[in-house]
Amino acid sequence: MKRLAMLFTLITLIATLASLAVPGDSIAGAPIRFAYQDRVGSALCIVAVEKGFFNQQGIAVAPFRFTSGPACAEALYSGSADIAEMGDTTAVIAVSRSDRFRIIASHGGGENRHRIVVRKDSPVRNPADLAGRKLSVKKGTSTYGGFLAWCVKHGIDIKKIQVIDLAPENMPEALAAGSIDAYVASEPTPSLAEARGARVMGTLSGLGNSYPLLILARKELLTERPDEVKKFLTALKQAEVFMRKHPREAADLIGRVGGLSGRDAETSIKLHDLRLNLDRNTLGSLDKIAEFLHEQGKIKTVPDFTRVTDGSFLKSVPAKLQNRTVRFPPHR
């Protein structure tokens, strides 16, 4: 009898694990699997996770932290994540390739958060000087999309630059070792380089793009667990309020996750507009980068953002938490 009971228990356990392993399965009551980054632009996500705001809102979230937007997107594609955050280029590519996802919010942005870094003694002073040089960038990211547009604006033939696909965390060391002549990355990688004596040659600003960071969710999750999605966004809004009220603590926390000092994190944060929204400026910026990516042959069709975005969940966030922009006083 005991052997039969043990066998039944084993069969039940195997069946349960098998059901959990089905890609994209959304089980009521199971934790929402959340893919996010350790970047400064992901500040609201980092704070919400580290301060336990999802738990405070009464939802279970299983966080998975990555170092790039494409890695977060891959978690969505594979069914390993229910919600993921990423930059605009990665998000546009995702919704153009699959109808399984919806953009439900932006949690930040800032046109100066992508910067081009060179060594302090580098002869590279202007865009034309990059011809023939080795430059690293993480392909498929918001930075990469912005860099392509930056090259077009400045009349630079990107084929004349030796573009190397490299993870952001490896860029400062590669630059210092002389393996590359320059790199372009989002914060905090440029700030880390500056702290180590490198020089910022320019930014990817002035292109009409605010480089919004987006929250994407699987459609099944939105249909089956809408109340939890609303609470998820409320937790991010709670993180925004926390950052406004406790900027020093927030900078220290974000710096610890991203490998920065509190001071460097605070400097990097100031290059961002950290707030939860899905306004006309954000949608307009998405339209612009999508058109550019289509022209460059990076996507086959331009997504219809009236269809692939869903702002209804964001509207459910308590009014007293909405429309608050994070501002940081000078560091003393």
Side-chain angles (χ1 to χ4, degrees), residues 118-139:
V118 298
R119 288 185 293 278
K120 189 174 183 179
D121 59 352
S122 172
V124 176
R125 297 283 174 180
N126 56 65
D129 294 336
L130 288 173
R133 307 282 182 178
K134 293 180 180 179
L135 177 144
S136 69
V137 62
K138 183 59 184 174
K139 292 186 177 181

Side-chain angles (χ1 to χ4, degrees), residues 40-105:
V40 170
S42 305
L44 300 189
C45 304
I46 293 171
V47 170
V49 170
E50 297 296 320
K51 297 298 292 184
F53 291 155
F54 295 117
N55 288 337
Q56 289 183 26
Q57 291 300 326
I59 57 172
V61 171
F64 300 96
R65 195 165 69 215
F66 297 94
T67 60
S68 72
C72 293
E74 180 57 35
L76 269 185
Y77 288 133
S78 67
S80 301
D82 302 303
I83 297 180
E85 62 96 6
M86 62 199 73
D88 57 351
T89 293
T90 313
V92 168
I93 292 173
V95 296
S96 71
R97 291 180 177 176
S98 175
D99 193 47
R100 292 180 293 154
F101 318 123
R102 291 292 180 264
I103 297 170
I104 59 173

Side-chain angles (χ1 to χ4, degrees), residues 6 17 31 51 61 67 78 93 117 121 140-141 206 217 222 229 234 284 286:
M6 289 177 64
L17 291 175
K51 297 298 292 184
V61 171
T67 60
S78 67
I93 292 173
V117 179
D121 59 352
T141 61
L222 302 180
V229 174
T234 300
L286 286 175

